[in-house]
Amino acid sequence: MSPIPNLAAVVATVGKEMQPHLGGGHVADYIPALARVDGRRFGLAVITCEGETAEFGDAWMPFSIQSISKVFTLTMALERLGAELWKRVGREPSGSRFNSIVQLENEKGVPRNPFINAGAIVVTDALMAGREPGAVIADIRDTMRGLADTDAIDIDKEVATSEAATGFRNYSLANFMRGFDNLKSPVEDTLQTYFHQCSMRISCRQLARAGLFLANRGVDPLTKVQVTTANRTRRINAVMMTCGHYDASGEFAFQVGLPGKSGVGGGILTIVPGKAAIAVWSPGLNEAGTSHVGAMALESLATKMGWSVF
Ligand code: GLN
């Protein structure tokens, strides 16, 4: 076996390798408040289960978490509801875009998986369980603060308002599922909660820290807090691997070989089971809504470190 290369040196090499590519892809503009971000930003942070960290570039700069929040609401909903949740949302890849509605009618309002928008809206609704949006939004934000071990995570109200003002597809998905009785709270309440969870601002450093329990069988290796069970962790990672990038999940598995979840803010959280959590941020997206440079950086990092679940 070849020796494990030095993490800090590899992260620095990957960061430098990405410099000619910065600005590639397209910054999301369907949510107007997201379009203002500088497309040349790039941050990378790795934290190991031993607490070793390595960072590059804008690793401490907050960005919009967007769909990466779905990993954390799924974890929270599974803790609250257990396996009952799977009656309302599936765990098959959709092969469709993140905001697609086409499968919902045939499948009677039960979304394919918790990471497409329809599925994430159901998960948020399940997490609400009759609670007011304000209480659930605070619960999600406080959970993220706890996991990231910092109080410096907040919700960008301007992004949340912008999402609500332009969220016609999400309103369609939610109303359609309500028609199948797969949404329990009022549509507006569930969507306001969903828009706010997507509007959290978080840095790569905080995101990698928050996801570290997923690399350690559900236990935060640094605080020893049990966030979820080992069994649920295995399943959350499985769904990240198969569905974390919508219709490009196969491509991400092929390129990177690790469970990951993208967001249209340009962030990607990636888990190296038993070893580390990685967060990368670069706002330009590919066609599927995954960070273009972020995915390239992860492919290079995973290859150089010899990290893969395969
Ligand atoms: N808030 C975004 C939306 O609902 C999240 C999408 C994403 O990051 N893929 O459209």
Side-chain angles (χ1 to χ4, degrees):
M1 272 202 10
S2 55
I4 293 177
N6 179 282
L7 179 63
V10 170
V11 165
T13 304
V14 170
K16 284 184 201 116
E17 266 175 25
M18 293 305 122
Q19 298 306 303
H21 304 288
L22 299 188
H26 297 282
V27 175
D29 54 8
Y30 77 102
I31 300 169
L34 287 185
R36 287 200 296 269
V37 68
D38 176 1
R40 297 184 55 82
R41 293 277 175 203
F42 175 81
L44 175 61
V46 182
I47 179 159
T48 69
C49 292
E50 284 75 43
E52 185 187 351
T53 60
E55 298 153 9
F56 185 91
D58 301 314
W60 286 87
M61 185 170 284
F63 60 89
S64 195
I65 191 169
Q66 291 299 317
S67 286
I68 308 167
S69 65
K70 297 169 180 175
V71 175
F72 299 95
T73 49
L74 174 63
T75 306
M76 292 172 76
L78 284 171
E79 284 306 290
R80 270 182 97 91
L81 282 90
E84 282 291 295
L85 183 69
W86 300 118
K87 292 185 178 154
R88 294 177 59 186
V89 62
R91 54 225 182 202
E92 285 297 342
S94 67
S96 308
R97 282 189 60 75
F98 64 88
N99 54 11
S100 174
I101 201 168
V102 290
Q103 287 160 343
L104 267 186
E105 179 161 26
N106 280 339
E107 297 175 6
K108 302 195 169 37
V110 177
R112 278 284 173 100
N113 67 68
F115 292 155
I116 51 174
N117 284 10
I121 292 167
V122 166
V123 169
T124 297
D125 187 72
L127 188 57
M128 294 185 76
R131 291 185 292 167
E132 293 295 317
V136 187
I137 292 164
D139 188 10
I140 297 169
R141 184 205 55 202
D142 291 348
T143 299
M144 289 308 293
R145 287 179 175 181
L147 291 172
D149 205 11
T150 172
D151 281 344
I153 293 175
D154 281 297
I155 288 164
D156 187 331
K157 297 259 187 255
E158 202 190 334
V159 172
T161 305
S162 186
E163 290 210 32
T166 55
F168 304 108
R169 284 176 182 245
N170 287 325
Y171 277 98
S172 306
L173 294 168
N175 277 299
F176 202 62
M177 292 190 292
R178 176 94 196 188
F180 282 102
D181 203 26
N182 198 13
L183 227 62
K184 310 295 176 193
S185 288
V187 164
E188 186 61 32
D189 286 2
T190 300
L191 283 181
Q192 282 300 335
T193 309
Y194 171 77
F195 293 141
H196 280 77
Q197 79 179 52
C198 289
S199 302
M200 276 185 292
R201 287 168 58 73
I202 196 163
S203 67
C204 289
R205 180 66 178 72
Q206 294 163 341
L207 182 59
R209 179 70 189 84
L212 194 56
F213 72 95
L214 290 170
N216 194 49
R217 299 164 57 84
V219 176
D220 183 323
L222 306 184
T223 61
K224 312 292 179 211
V225 170
Q226 174 136 32
V227 181
T228 187
T229 63
N231 207 24
R232 282 187 191 136
T233 304
R234 183 165 63 86
R235 288 172 159 171
I236 294 163
N237 281 326
V239 181
M240 285 173 81
M241 176 63 94
T242 52
C243 311
H245 309 270
Y246 321 112
D247 46 339
S249 299
E251 184 61 26
F252 189 85
F254 181 86
Q255 279 186 359
V256 181
L258 294 165
K261 182 74 205 81
S262 61
V264 292
I268 308 174
L269 170 65
T270 302
I271 305 301
V272 193
K275 293 198 169 67
I278 311 167
V280 65
W281 171 53
S282 177
L285 308 177
N286 64 21
E287 299 252 297
T290 296
S291 172
H292 171 69
V293 176
M296 282 173 62
L298 288 169
E299 180 175 13
S300 175
L301 181 67
T303 305
K304 289 184 171 62
M305 293 303 295
W307 284 344
S308 168
V309 298
F310 300 109

